[in-house]
Amino acid sequence: MPDERTEARRRRIPEATVVRLPVYQRLLAELLRAGQPTVSSEQLAAMARVNAAKVRKDLSLLGSFGTRGTGYDVAFLIAQIERALGVGLDWPVAIVGIGNLGRALVNSEGFSSHGFRVVALFDVVESVVGHEVGPTVVHHIDRLPEVAAELHPSIGVIATPAGAAQEVADALVTAGVGAILNFAPKVLSVPSDVLLRYVDLSIELQVMSFYQSRRAEAGGAQVPPIRAFGLSLSPEGSAR
Amino acid sequence: MPDERTEARRRRIPEATVVRLPVYQRLLAELLRAGQPTVSSEQLAAMARVNAAKVRKDLSLLGSFGTRGTGYDVAFLIAQIERALGVGLDWPVAIVGIGNLGRALVNSEGFSSHGFRVVALFDVVESVVGHEVGPTVVHHIDRLPEVAAELHPSIGVIATPAGAAQEVADALVTAGVGAILNFAPKVLSVPSDVLLRYVDLSIELQVMSFYQSRRAEAGGAQVPPIRAFGLSLSPEGSAR
DNA sequence: TCGTGTGAACCATTTCACAGCT
DNA sequence: AGCTGTGAAATGGTTCACACGA
């Protein structure tokens, strides 16, 4: 059978590429604002601080959108990336744990600017439950099932202490979310059809302390702190 | 390089492994609290939700710490991982941007529980500068050079809006920090001897939306969110 | 000529599978 | 018999280098 896809490559997109797409998108939006009509892989690569071949390979996975000799049309490329990322679809988000972190998330540029709708907030602390935070009121976590049944969040964010995280994850899964973003420093267990990603501050810090110690040693001098050198780490995009 | 290290393997440790070490450490601490004296790679792998061979390979990079037929001594292994990670050394941290996120970081389990010392906070907002947040007072960002000269932060955390991030990074580098953890949604430029890592909420969300859209399509049915309602379907529904 | 799209080489990481120690 | 440590195979991702189209 001769199936030429009308468009849209069905190719599998590697996770590493998926993580870079939002970065490209952000940079392209800057170029668009600056009124630049086209961009080369070279220029985009410089902005994203990655290799130009990587940019071309990443973009080619979405389809052949470039013009040889010219580069990519900025506006068109943005549209293609947004389509791949599902921008424009509706992604209702529930956030559990309305401490400083939860509050930071509610008000974050990350949500508002990309069409993620915060539809429900939960906590257990009496002084928080019932209060307005950002666009909604905070419910008690016990009401998660009923509230979720009504609002159908498709992404759940866990911003609780580690001790509560698994329990919350279970509740979110039961409530039907398809993806969980976990900020608690805890390995979680969820069914394999639920997407789970971690953002873990303490891991990031410890990774830094690992490389800093190594470097201090390698530089031969000094105890931990300041201004030792010798090794060049951060080869390139640690854009995680 | 004419030397048998007295101890401490000189082998290069892959970044992927470095990121897992803090996870193992956390799990081992749990086992220690539970009074379990030894652990097998199999058990630790189950807890970390990774492959057992991976655990063995990761740990073997630090040295041969296991006992065949028995497993690893929990307390000893913790000590080895902590040594590799530079736990116990002094890592003074400066945080720039004391909004909700900055505040969340100051009070975070991540800092307190791993010996990271928050030595200085900075912001530009008048209503924040001069106030106590957590253990210290917030300085105006303009005072970063003088404050840093005194306190020698070795890690800088950027929790500002994207627009200010590069400027802050430059100031931190000039002040001599060797590592920067950037929470702003912005690609930064730093000298190659400064370690730079990103934590980017909006990327994480967009990655989720990518996989969720794909799944919605693949599942053949449903609109974007779970349990269909409203909203238009994305182009074509073909499987693959 | 410029710059994309892509096979092929390269490098990193994961997983397998098993020899060898306890 | 049980479990580590590690070569070797498999997989995933990056970079090179160049044919080809605009």
Side-chain angles (χ1 to χ4, degrees):
Chain A
M1 266 316 255
D3 75 358
E4 276 298 340
R5 292 279 165 231
T6 329
E7 38 142 50
R9 295 307 154 96
R10 275 298 104 219
R11 312 190 216 181
R12 190 183 157 279
I13 299 190
E15 177 175 339
T17 295
V18 174
V19 171
R20 283 187 296 267
L21 291 178
V23 176
Y24 299 149
Q25 201 247 39
R26 205 141 74 198
L27 298 169
L28 289 164
E30 269 177 44
L31 292 175
L32 189 69
R33 275 196 300 278
Q36 189 177 316
T38 65
V39 64
S40 67
S41 61
E42 197 71 57
Q43 188 191 355
L44 192 52
M47 295 176 77
R49 298 209 147 68
V50 300
N51 182 295
K54 195 185 275 181
V55 170
R56 290 200 297 278
K57 189 143 272 187
D58 284 343
L59 296 181
S60 77
L61 291 168
L62 304 181
S64 286
F65 300 142
T67 308
R68 293 165 196 228
T70 308
Y72 303 86
D73 180 275
V74 172
F76 183 70
L77 194 48
I78 289 177
Q80 295 310 314
I81 292 177
E82 292 195 335
R83 193 165 54 79
L85 290 175
V87 173
L89 304 182
D90 185 45
W91 302 115
V93 175
I95 302 180
V96 185
I98 311 301
N100 278 311
L101 178 57
R103 249 174 268 262
L105 297 177
V106 174
N107 301 317
S108 130
E109 312 177 38
F111 281 102
S112 40
S113 69
H114 294 281
F116 294 91
R117 249 189 334 129
V118 177
V119 294
L121 305 176
F122 300 95
D123 207 311
V124 283
V125 177
E126 284 310 327
S127 59
V128 177
V129 173
H131 287 230
E132 293 272 339
V133 171
T136 20
V137 93
V138 180
H139 299 287
H140 191 278
I141 184 73
D142 293 343
R143 296 193 50 220
L144 197 150
E146 60 180 290
V147 174
E150 192 191 328
L151 299 169
H152 299 301
S154 75
I155 297 175
V157 175
I158 301 179
T160 64
Q166 182 61 58
E167 204 180 343
V168 168
D170 294 344
L172 287 168
V173 168
T174 302
V177 309
I180 293 179
L181 185 54
N182 176 37
F183 286 84
K186 182 84 193 341
V187 177
L188 298 182
S189 191
V190 299
S192 63
D193 65 328
V194 173
L195 175 63
L196 173 61
R197 293 182 64 89
Y198 295 86
V199 175
D200 192 320
L201 168 70
S202 78
I203 288 179
E204 295 303 323
L205 286 172
Q206 288 178 277
V207 169
M208 298 212 140
S209 113
F210 173 89
Y211 285 111
Q212 293 271 70
S213 335
R214 289 242 145 175
R215 198 165 50 162
E217 271 178 56
Q222 249 91 9
V223 232
I226 204 151
R227 217 163 284 202
F229 51 178
L231 259 199
S232 69
L233 301 166
S234 90
E236 180 232 303
S238 345
R240 268 230 319 160
Chain B
M1 272 286 172
D3 62 16
E4 275 300 338
R5 292 279 168 226
T6 331
E7 34 143 51
R9 294 306 152 96
R10 272 303 100 214
R11 309 192 220 181
R12 190 184 156 277
I13 299 189
E15 178 175 340
T17 295
V18 174
V19 171
R20 283 188 296 267
L21 291 178
V23 176
Y24 298 150
Q25 201 247 40
R26 206 142 74 197
L27 298 169
L28 289 164
E30 267 177 44
L31 292 175
L32 190 68
R33 276 196 299 279
Q36 189 178 315
T38 66
V39 66
S40 67
S41 61
E42 197 71 55
Q43 188 191 354
L44 192 52
M47 295 175 77
R49 301 212 144 65
V50 298
N51 182 296
K54 195 185 274 181
V55 171
R56 291 199 296 279
K57 189 144 271 186
D58 284 343
L59 296 180
S60 77
L61 291 168
L62 304 181
S64 286
F65 299 141
T67 309
R68 288 160 200 233
T70 309
Y72 302 85
D73 181 276
V74 172
F76 183 69
L77 193 48
I78 288 177
Q80 295 310 313
I81 292 178
E82 293 196 333
R83 193 165 53 78
L85 290 175
V87 173
L89 303 183
D90 185 43
W91 302 116
V93 175
I95 303 179
V96 184
I98 311 302
N100 278 312
L101 178 56
R103 252 174 266 264
L105 297 177
V106 174
N107 301 316
S108 130
E109 311 177 38
F111 281 102
S112 40
S113 69
H114 294 282
F116 294 92
R117 246 186 338 128
V118 178
V119 295
L121 305 176
F122 300 95
D123 207 313
V124 283
V125 177
E126 284 310 327
S127 60
V128 177
V129 173
H131 288 229
E132 293 272 338
V133 172
T136 19
V137 95
V138 180
H139 299 289
H140 192 279
I141 185 72
D142 293 343
R143 295 194 52 220
L144 197 151
E146 61 181 289
V147 174
E150 192 191 328
L151 299 169
H152 297 302
S154 75
I155 297 175
V157 175
I158 300 179
T160 65
Q166 181 63 59
E167 204 181 346
V168 168
D170 295 344
L172 287 168
V173 169
T174 302
V177 307
I180 292 179
L181 185 54
N182 177 37
F183 287 84
K186 182 89 194 336
V187 176
L188 298 181
S189 190
V190 299
S192 66
D193 65 325
V194 172
L195 175 63
L196 173 61
R197 292 181 65 89
Y198 295 86
V199 174
D200 193 320
L201 168 69
S202 77
I203 288 179
E204 296 302 324
L205 286 172
Q206 289 178 273
V207 169
M208 298 210 141
S209 114
F210 172 88
Y211 285 110
Q212 294 271 72
S213 337
R214 291 242 143 177
R215 199 166 48 163
E217 271 178 57
Q222 251 96 5
V223 229
I226 182 126
R227 234 149 273 165
F229 60 74
L231 261 262
S232 58
L233 191 51
S234 47
E236 95 234 30
S238 42
R240 49 117 79 247

